[in-house]
């Protein structure tokens, strides 16, 4: 199994990155530019001295960066396609906001897994930002509901995560 | 070092010839048996993935076929992506996310064993007198 994983991991990652950029062809510039900046910033961490001499570590780090980038970009694209097939109805948007916040919370609270932390926090944030942009077209009341919901989630997560620092 | 160089050369040769075979065959099928160019390419991509997995013990062969499958599959998707129904795009992206999450969960955790394997080799212990 290890041999199989070692053989197929890089072609699989290349295929996944190719699919990400393929799907981005239909997405707005809103996702492309910040995603690219994010990718460059994360890749720049190669300048860390721990990766300069150890080739295996560099490959491992590159693999992690690719997975983080792919998940963070594919999540809002997935939500976009769901919105397209559902006709951008409000219940789907609310469900998408739940998903986005759930991913962010999962990313914040997961232990010993930096890849999932970064991927979920970034992907969830992209979903939330995209859906808030879509809510703008629905009118005043959905915007108020969405803003109140977001504020409530942020306060709840902050209280749970920072409970020790607050008390 | 020399073995790695030979592996890379052989793998590259396999990649080039397998990619050429896929495109030449797809062109022939399209010309002689009707417009089935993209279907033939997709079939070759699937076959190459299977061959790459089956030959996982021989890295040059496996990676040559798998990278060739990457080229073929991505080319098919690039040309046909806009014609795919939105529901299938949702399923495709969902499947890719599922694979990524499973891969990340199983293989990319911050376990101490992983850190030990990727860190610098341990200093050799001096023999006890």
């Amino acid at each position: 199994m290890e041999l199989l994983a070692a053989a197929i991991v890089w072609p699989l990652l290349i295929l996944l990155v190719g699919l990400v950029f393929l799907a981005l062809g239909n997405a707005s510039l809103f996702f492309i530019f910040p995603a690219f900046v994010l990718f460059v910033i994360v890749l720049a961490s190669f300048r860390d001295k721990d990766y300069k001499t150890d080739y295996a570590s560099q490959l491992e780090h590159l693999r992690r960066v690719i997975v983080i980038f792919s998940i963070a970009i594919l999540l809002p694209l997935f939500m976009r396609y769901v919105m397209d097939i559902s006709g951008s109805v409000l219940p789907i948007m609310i469900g998408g906001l739940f998903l986005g916040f759930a991913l962010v919370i999962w990313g914040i609270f997961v232990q010993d897994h930096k890849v999932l932390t970064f991927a979920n926090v970034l992907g969830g944030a992209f979903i939330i930002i995209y859906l808030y942009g879509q809510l703008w077209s629905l009118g005043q009341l959905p915007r108020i509901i969405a803003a109140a919901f977001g504020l409530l989630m942020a306060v709840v997560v902050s209280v749970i995560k920072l409970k020790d620092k607050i008390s | 070092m020399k073995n790695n160089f030979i592996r890379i050369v052989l793998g590259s040769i396999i990649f080039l010839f397998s990619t050429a075979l896929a495109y030449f065959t797809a062109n022939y099928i399209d010309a002689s048996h009707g417009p089935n160019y993209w279907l033939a390419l997709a079939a070759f991509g699937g076959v190459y993935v299977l061959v790459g997995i089956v030959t996982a013990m021989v890295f040059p062969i496996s990676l040559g076929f798998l990278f060739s499958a990457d080229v073929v599959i991505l080319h098919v998707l690039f040309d046909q992506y806009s014609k795919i129904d939105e529901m299938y795009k949702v399923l495709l992206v969902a499947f890719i996310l599922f694979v990524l999450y499973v891969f990340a969960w199983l293989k990319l955790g911050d376990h101490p064993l992983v850190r030990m394997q990727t860190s610098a080799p341990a200093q050799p212990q001096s023999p006890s007198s």
Side-chain angles (χ1 to χ4, degrees):
Chain A
M1 184 56 112
E2 284 293 330
L3 194 62
L4 184 64
I8 70 172
V9 62
W10 282 110
L12 180 64
L13 287 175
I14 289 172
L15 181 63
L16 292 174
V17 172
L19 282 166
V20 167
F21 281 102
L22 186 72
L24 279 175
N26 291 330
S28 66
L29 196 63
F30 176 77
F31 288 121
I32 296 174
F33 181 71
F36 183 72
V37 171
L38 165 72
F39 192 61
V40 169
I41 290 173
V42 177
L43 268 183
S45 61
F46 272 123
R47 297 170 70 85
D48 189 311
K49 60 181 179 182
D50 290 339
Y51 300 114
K52 275 190 176 173
T53 54
D54 190 352
Y55 182 65
S57 292
Q58 287 179 352
L59 285 179
E60 177 68 17
H61 186 65
L62 178 62
R63 205 163 55 180
R64 288 166 182 260
V65 166
I66 288 173
V67 171
I68 291 171
F69 172 76
S70 298
I71 291 177
I73 294 304
L74 282 174
L75 280 171
L77 278 174
F78 170 74
M79 185 49 55
R80 179 173 175 267
Y81 290 145
V82 169
M83 296 287 291
D84 284 346
I85 64 173
S86 67
S88 300
V89 295
L90 185 60
I92 299 295
M93 282 193 185
I94 299 297
L97 282 177
F98 267 111
L99 175 65
F101 281 111
L103 286 170
V104 171
I105 292 169
W106 180 22
I108 290 173
F109 287 102
V110 70
Q111 300 286 337
D112 296 329
H113 215 302
K114 286 193 181 63
V115 172
L116 284 183
T117 296
F118 282 114
N120 285 335
V121 169
L122 291 169
F126 281 144
I127 287 178
I128 293 167
I129 292 170
Y130 170 71
L131 287 174
Y132 270 97
Q134 296 300 306
L135 278 168
W136 202 256
S137 61
L138 291 183
Q140 298 279 355
L141 187 59
R143 290 180 216 163
I144 294 171
I145 293 172
F149 178 72
L151 181 62
L152 177 66
M153 292 302 299
V155 168
V156 166
V157 171
S158 300
V159 166
I160 295 172
K161 188 70 175 171
L162 303 173
K163 188 169 52 177
D164 294 337
K165 293 186 173 59
I166 293 173
S167 59
Chain B
M1 185 69 176
K2 184 180 176 185
N3 279 339
N4 287 336
F5 177 73
I6 292 172
R7 285 195 188 113
I8 291 171
V9 169
L10 288 174
S12 302
I13 292 172
I14 291 172
F15 165 72
L16 290 171
F17 277 106
S18 59
T19 308
L21 175 67
Y23 280 99
F24 292 161
T25 309
N27 271 319
Y28 170 75
I29 291 174
D30 188 56
S32 59
H33 294 94
N36 288 316
Y37 181 77
W38 298 112
L39 191 61
L41 271 186
F44 265 99
V47 168
Y48 284 170
V49 168
L50 287 173
V51 171
I53 292 174
V54 166
T55 58
M57 290 183 66
V58 187
F59 275 5
I61 300 175
S62 176
L63 290 179
F65 277 107
L66 287 173
F67 282 123
S68 182
D70 274 348
V71 170
V72 168
I73 291 172
L74 284 173
H75 189 191
V76 170
L77 284 175
F78 181 75
D79 193 85
Q80 302 293 312
Y81 195 73
S82 58
K83 302 173 190 169
I84 299 174
D85 189 51
E86 295 291 329
M87 175 56 80
Y88 293 114
K89 288 181 185 175
V90 171
L91 293 174
L92 176 64
V93 175
F95 174 73
I96 294 167
L97 278 169
F98 175 75
V99 170
L100 279 171
Y101 268 108
V102 169
F103 178 71
W105 184 261
L106 294 177
K107 291 291 179 186
L108 300 180
D110 294 342
H111 302 298
L113 183 60
V114 171
R115 280 199 291 271
M116 285 165 57
Q117 286 174 344
T118 56
S119 62
Q123 297 293 329
Q125 294 179 352
S126 57
S128 56
S129 58

